[in-house]
Amino acid sequence: MRTKWGTCNASANRIWLNLELAKKPPACIDYLVCHEIAHFIERSHGERFISLMDLHLPRWRVIRAELNHKPLGHEEWDH
């Protein structure tokens, strides 16, 4: 995935995560897994989704801001 951190397919019970997440703090991975699992219950990002996130990961907004503050990946590496 070049443009997303993760996605899910509820009908196939699958979650895909961007491999760039391995370079992020563990809390970012926790956030993304929780986010995608919440989509199994609520497809949209509406009030029900937000309630699920608040219940299971109260600091999700802070973690999401940290994750989205940095670029998705690095195309050029300094070696």
Side-chain angles (χ1 to χ4, degrees):
M1 277 185 272
R2 297 176 70 89
T3 61
K4 293 181 179 182
W5 287 116
T7 189
C8 72
N9 181 330
S11 61
N13 291 322
R14 282 202 184 125
I15 293 175
W16 289 271
L17 300 176
N18 189 316
L19 291 177
E20 290 292 321
L21 275 173
K23 300 174 187 174
K24 305 297 179 188
C28 293
I29 299 168
D30 292 344
Y31 159 74
L32 215 12
V33 169
C34 186
H35 179 108
E36 298 305 337
I37 289 173
H39 279 306
F40 286 131
I41 299 166
E42 177 58 49
R43 295 191 58 148
S44 73
H45 289 110
E47 289 182 33
R48 185 173 179 214
F49 178 86
I50 291 169
S51 294
L52 287 166
M53 292 297 291
D54 287 341
L55 177 65
H56 296 286
L57 193 65
R59 294 186 61 245
W60 71 272
R61 290 174 182 86
V62 173
I63 299 166
R64 179 186 63 183
E66 178 184 351
L67 180 64
N68 290 328
H69 177 71
K70 298 179 181 173
L72 186 63
H74 300 285
E75 293 296 323
E76 297 180 23
W77 293 85
D78 295 331
H79 291 230

